[in-house]
């Protein structure tokens, strides 16, 4: 997955097109993410006891990653990501995500 929890994304299609928001959860199997305030679904909750009122709970539904673009926290643009292999002092290699626009590690 190119998108991680906590990322800021831009929605590029659908009814929330043009909106920027934060990724709350990533569902790698489905290639979908849950985004704050986007694709809201209303759920009716029945009262548990008599005399209590039923509630409507609003929860964001999953959005497919093809509808999103990542916003680079370094340059602030909607970008595509790339990967770079780096090695640390112990010569262990690790893959880091980079912004294709500014080249910074994100
Ligand atoms: Zn950037």
């Amino acid at each position: 997955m190119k998108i991680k929890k906590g990322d800021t994304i831009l929605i590029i299609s659908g009814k929330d097109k043009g909106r920027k928001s934060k990724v709350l959860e990533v569902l790698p199997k489905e290639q979908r993410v849950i985004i704050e305030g986007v694709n809201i679904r209303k759920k009716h909750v029945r009262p548990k006891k008599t005399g209590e009122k039923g509630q409507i709970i609003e929860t964001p539904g999953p959005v497919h990653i093809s509808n999103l673009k990542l916003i680079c926290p370094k340059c602030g643009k909607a970008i595509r990501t790339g990967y770079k292999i780096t090695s640390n002092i112990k010569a262990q290699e690790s893959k880091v995500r980079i912004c294709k626009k500014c080249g910074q590690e994100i």
Side-chain angles (χ1 to χ4, degrees):
M1 284 287 275
K2 286 178 177 175
I3 292 172
K4 297 181 204 168
K5 190 177 172 179
D7 280 346
T8 302
I9 51 81
L10 172 72
I11 296 151
I12 54 168
S13 69
K15 68 175 163 66
D16 291 302
K17 190 178 171 179
R19 251 178 97 172
K20 286 178 191 173
S21 199
K22 212 173 129 187
V23 175
L24 298 177
E25 214 175 305
V26 176
L27 312 167
K29 272 187 199 163
E30 300 168 44
Q31 295 282 290
R32 285 171 198 269
V33 293
I34 308 282
I35 306 153
E36 197 174 68
V38 172
N39 196 17
I40 293 294
R41 290 170 181 188
K42 285 182 183 170
K43 202 173 148 187
H44 294 261
V45 179
R46 286 188 182 185
K48 287 178 190 126
K49 294 176 208 157
T50 40
E52 258 184 13
K53 278 182 184 170
Q55 279 184 307
I56 297 170
I57 296 176
E58 295 187 343
T59 50
V63 178
H64 196 263
I65 56 162
S66 64
N67 298 322
L68 314 169
K69 257 189 160 180
L70 184 67
I71 307 267
C72 172
K74 301 281 161 63
C75 65
K77 292 186 176 124
I79 53 134
R80 287 203 296 164
T81 54
Y83 284 98
K84 189 170 78 173
I85 306 288
T86 57
S87 60
N88 62 16
I89 299 166
K90 292 174 187 168
Q92 288 168 322
E93 287 188 348
S94 62
K95 222 168 147 189
V96 294
R97 192 174 63 165
I98 58 158
C99 165
K100 280 195 174 174
K101 271 211 169 91
C102 66
Q104 298 249 36
E105 191 179 318
I106 51 171

